[in-house]
Amino acid sequence: MENIVNDKINGLLDLVYGETFSETHRSVLFEKIDKTCHAISENRKTGWDEKDVVLITYADQFSQEGEKALPVFTRFYNKWLSGSFSHVHLLPFYPWSSDDGFSVIDYHQVAPETGCWQDVAELKCSASLMFDFVCNHMSAKSEWFSHYLQQKPGYEDFFIAVDPRTDLSAVTRPRALPLLTPFTLHDGSIKHLWTTFSEDQIDLNFASPGVLIAMVDVLLHYLLEGARYIRLDAVGFMWKIPGTNCIHLEQTHRLIQLFRAITDTVAPGTVIITETNVPHKDNVSYFGDGENEAQMVYQFSLPPLVLHAVHRQDVQALVRWASSLSLPSANTTWFNFLASHDGIGLNPLRGILPEPDILALVEQLQQEGALVNWKNNPDGTRSPYEINVTYLDALSPRDGEDEQRIARFILAHAVLLSFPGVPAVYIQSILGSRNDYDGVERLGYNRAINRKKFKAGEVDAQLENSETLRHKIYKSLSELIVIRRKEKAFHPASRAEFDVVNKCILKITRTAGDGERITGLFNFSNTEQTLLSNTHYGRELLTQHIIKGTALTLNPWQVMWIKEN
């Protein structure tokens, strides 16, 4: 078996690097893999089930004077969230210099203000953990980059220097910022380095065997620290070839296959999740053949499609897309979410909705207080690529009544929890957060609108007060999640059927392998809807009402989960 694994890893190394990956390189790499294999003794859960629900959060989400942030979060999680969630996705908690953690200074350390690895281990006693592997780029303040600038041996090719006269017009640009940034080296020479996301985020040169070995060492460290899910951040950009679009290249897929092969060897059961905020057809390519790349991909089209359905009061586009979804194997599934630390991506809508519909959604959300980030296109035009807003505020008019705001919010999250796959909920969502305009003004970037941090006890007081919006959102969504986690029909692999009852009524039917069935009915409209149906018999899980095959009346924005007899 060991020889088969080694042959697979060697084969991938050959495909990506050929003879540039020497026997010495291979010896170093396999020694690291073998050492980590022997150091990990715990068994990881194989696959996933209906109990798996992920909380997305910053490790320093809560602070208390005189205390590290991570233990403060762990206490909050154990008090308020542990009954709802099985996994916690800790957004980058390493030392960082910008982008709220995604400009990593040192992959191997916990940010001192956040805590230490022992604090991570304490949280691991309460939840399975998901780590970010920020593999495309690292901070300009990092030691690796300092060594490069100082021209220290071994770091000459860690980053990507390009002649600024090179034609890079075909390169896919996720942001309206320069692709190359000039830096001065120790000898006074100037190098223009590849910076896909910002001048503080220097792209790593994976064409260098030394970079691969160093980054595999990071991956192995995260496995050793107990990460059950590994999120590959911005992974589509990892390999660069001038003259191409430099995204989704074959070498990038091979590198992910290599990470997967190493992870399967060292810590079987660990799940690789790719984060590629791109059109759906490109996103799903990261499943590979269903066995060799990511076990999960982010379902980036879901958040904007649910928003589109709510604002249009029309579920037809959502159902057309959902009905087309297919997985390459039983060993893959979707990582579903509505909100995250980033904005709501629009690129995943392209190819699903006409561009005028996308622009109309953007304009409508802007009128209600959302902010928008733009990207540059190769032809010199600009397109909106991301809406910045809390999901709670994205769903409703800002001057609307809280009763309707809550109903729309719970409807959207019931859709999330009904979809095949593993659902993830952002902490600002379950805490019922509104747009943080003060944060945008203070920090100077749009994404701060949905990244508010709290003092210890600040949120607790509102959660304990039954009159507050936070309490009502928290209570309703927590109850919804708890119900979902008890039902086999919501297993990620259970059969899913999507139907349009009428243009504003969505029907999702989930059927477990033993025949247990739950029918979800969702009223995406502000009017009462009556369904003349004699097909539903059973118990409605949210109200415990018995359904006897008579006409069903759905209030505006109401959801029903009917567990059939």
Side-chain angles (χ1 to χ4, degrees):
M1 181 65 183
E2 184 177 337
N3 287 336
I4 295 173
V5 170
N6 288 354
D7 287 347
K8 184 174 184 178
I9 293 172
N10 273 318
L12 289 165
L13 292 171
D14 289 340
L15 286 171
V16 177
Y17 294 98
E19 294 181 359
T20 62
F21 208 88
S22 68
E23 288 304 315
T24 301
H25 291 134
R26 289 171 202 260
S27 176
V28 171
L29 181 66
F30 279 105
E31 183 178 348
K32 289 180 180 293
I33 293 170
D34 188 59
K35 182 179 178 181
T36 310
C37 273
H38 287 94
I40 294 178
S41 57
E42 64 177 356
N43 292 322
R44 284 161 163 77
K45 175 180 176 178
T46 301
W48 36 76
D49 57 36
E50 66 279 3
K51 298 179 180 64
D52 294 341
V53 182
V54 180
L55 175 74
I56 305 169
T57 184
Y58 287 100
D60 63 349
Q61 187 64 56
F62 304 99
S63 61
Q64 182 157 316
E65 191 172 347
E67 191 171 359
K68 303 294 187 182
L70 195 48
V72 179
F73 170 79
T74 300
R75 285 200 302 274
F76 185 91
Y77 176 82
N78 287 336
K79 179 179 180 180
W80 294 104
L81 302 170
S82 60
S84 302
F85 297 96
S86 58
H87 292 64
V88 173
H89 172 197
L90 288 176
L91 293 160
F93 50 87
Y94 327 113
W96 56 280
S97 56
S98 63
D99 200 16
D100 278 341
F102 284 90
S103 185
V104 178
I105 292 174
D106 187 340
Y107 292 108
H108 291 283
Q109 300 299 322
V110 177
E113 66 274 14
T114 299
C116 62
W117 284 112
Q118 181 56 41
D119 296 318
V120 175
E122 290 293 330
L123 178 58
K124 194 176 69 170
C125 294
S126 301
S128 295
L129 299 183
M130 175 171 167
F131 288 5
D132 269 286
F133 185 27
V134 187
C135 49
N136 179 72
H137 51 262
M138 73 182 310
S139 171
K141 311 297 189 300
S142 66
E143 186 176 62
W144 291 3
F145 191 59
S146 175
H147 289 341
Y148 173 84
L149 294 179
Q150 293 170 26
Q151 297 176 291
K152 290 195 173 182
Y155 290 88
E156 302 90 346
D157 59 354
F158 256 54
F159 304 96
I160 305 166
V162 181
D163 186 328
R165 295 168 295 183
T166 305
D167 182 3
L168 299 174
S169 59
V171 175
T172 297
R173 301 297 296 120
R175 297 183 184 174
L177 294 169
L179 178 60
L180 302 180
T181 302
F183 291 92
T184 303
L185 274 59
H186 179 69
D187 65 4
S189 62
I190 295 175
K191 296 287 187 182
H192 288 78
L193 300 183
W194 204 293
T195 50
T196 297
F197 293 98
S198 80
E199 63 182 12
D200 187 46
Q201 294 167 299
I202 320 297
D203 287 49
L204 287 153
N205 179 22
F206 273 91
S208 162
V211 168
L212 178 74
I213 291 170
M215 293 304 283
V216 167
D217 196 41
V218 173
L219 175 62
L220 294 173
H221 184 188
Y222 295 167
L223 297 175
L224 194 60
E225 296 291 351
R228 303 298 179 89
Y229 287 5
I230 299 284
R231 175 185 185 269
L232 304 184
D233 174 67
V235 69
F237 298 96
M238 265 203 309
W239 198 274
K240 284 82 173 174
I241 300 176
T244 73
N245 61 5
C246 297
I247 189 170
H248 316 312
L249 298 184
E250 180 184 350
Q251 292 90 338
T252 292
H253 284 282
R254 298 293 189 193
L255 286 174
I256 298 168
Q257 291 166 24
L258 183 61
F259 294 157
R260 169 71 183 273
I262 291 169
T263 301
D264 284 350
T265 301
V266 171
T270 305
V271 175
I272 298 289
I273 308 174
T274 48
E275 186 264 342
T276 50
N277 192 349
V278 294
H280 182 75
K281 65 180 178 59
D282 298 314
N283 190 30
V284 297
S285 70
Y286 288 87
F287 281 129
D289 65 10
E291 304 294 339
N292 65 344
E293 275 187 63
Q295 291 101 322
M296 296 186 198
V297 301
Y298 270 71
Q299 188 73 284
F300 273 108
S301 300
L302 183 62
L305 279 172
V306 170
L307 272 186
H308 176 265
V310 167
H311 283 273
R312 287 288 186 93
Q313 299 189 35
D314 185 343
V315 301
Q316 293 176 94
L318 175 62
V319 169
R320 277 196 304 272
W321 167 77
S323 298
S324 73
L325 296 176
S326 63
L327 293 166
S329 79
N331 295 319
T332 56
T333 196
W334 309 103
F335 188 83
N336 297 320
F337 72 108
L338 294 178
S340 74
H341 62 290
D342 286 340
I344 299 164
L346 297 170
N347 286 343
L349 285 181
R350 294 184 164 102
I352 299 173
L353 293 181
E355 193 67 17
D357 286 9
I358 297 173
L359 296 176
L361 177 63
V362 171
E363 183 177 353
Q364 189 171 4
L365 288 164
Q366 278 186 299
Q367 290 174 357
E368 295 298 343
L371 307 177
V372 178
N373 281 330
W374 300 79
K375 70 181 181 73
N376 291 333
N377 299 318
D379 63 1
T381 61
R382 288 199 320 161
S383 297
Y385 81 86
E386 181 181 83
I387 302 166
N388 300 112
V389 62
T390 67
Y391 212 78
L392 180 62
D393 279 335
L395 289 164
S396 299
R398 53 181 156 185
D399 59 354
E401 298 292 327
D402 276 355
E403 183 180 0
Q404 184 188 79
R405 194 184 315 280
I406 295 166
R408 289 187 178 201
F409 184 83
I410 294 304
L411 172 86
H413 282 80
V415 172
L416 168 70
L417 294 167
S418 300
F419 250 68
V422 172
V425 177
Y426 186 39
I427 193 162
Q428 302 292 352
S429 294
I430 197 158
L431 297 182
S433 293
R434 305 292 303 274
N435 288 338
D436 182 17
Y437 294 110
D438 289 342
V440 174
E441 185 175 352
R442 185 177 70 256
L443 297 171
Y445 52 88
N446 288 353
R447 285 179 171 179
I449 201 168
N450 195 25
R451 295 181 177 182
K452 185 175 175 62
K453 306 288 177 69
F454 304 101
K455 299 289 186 183
E458 178 184 352
V459 173
D460 300 66
Q462 295 178 62
L463 295 180
E464 287 163 354
N465 181 352
S466 62
E467 299 301 312
T468 66
L469 178 64
R470 283 200 192 276
H471 170 88
K472 293 171 183 176
I473 291 286
Y474 165 80
K475 184 173 184 293
S476 297
L477 183 49
S478 297
E479 289 172 353
L480 199 67
I481 295 170
V482 169
I483 291 169
R484 192 260 190 198
R485 294 183 70 196
K486 293 177 180 176
E487 300 297 335
K488 289 185 293 183
F490 288 130
H491 188 290
S494 292
R495 186 157 55 94
E497 297 172 89
F498 300 87
D499 294 294
V500 178
V501 177
N502 62 45
K503 77 169 192 172
C504 57
I505 301 290
L506 167 65
K507 178 181 176 182
I508 302 177
T509 306
R510 299 296 308 278
T511 308
D514 62 1
E516 187 173 291
R517 177 180 297 172
I518 292 175
T519 299
L521 297 171
F522 308 84
N523 181 7
F524 276 74
S525 79
N526 56 12
T527 59
E528 187 178 273
Q529 300 286 325
T530 299
L531 310 182
L532 300 175
S533 172
N534 61 358
T535 60
H536 300 301
Y537 295 84
R539 179 167 48 90
E540 202 287 306
L541 296 175
L542 307 185
T543 62
Q544 298 302 309
H545 291 163
I546 302 302
I547 308 296
K548 298 182 177 179
T550 54
L552 296 176
T553 298
L554 290 167
N555 293 325
W557 311 109
Q558 185 182 355
V559 56
M560 289 185 178
W561 274 344
I562 302 170
K563 185 174 183 178
E564 302 193 11
N565 292 335

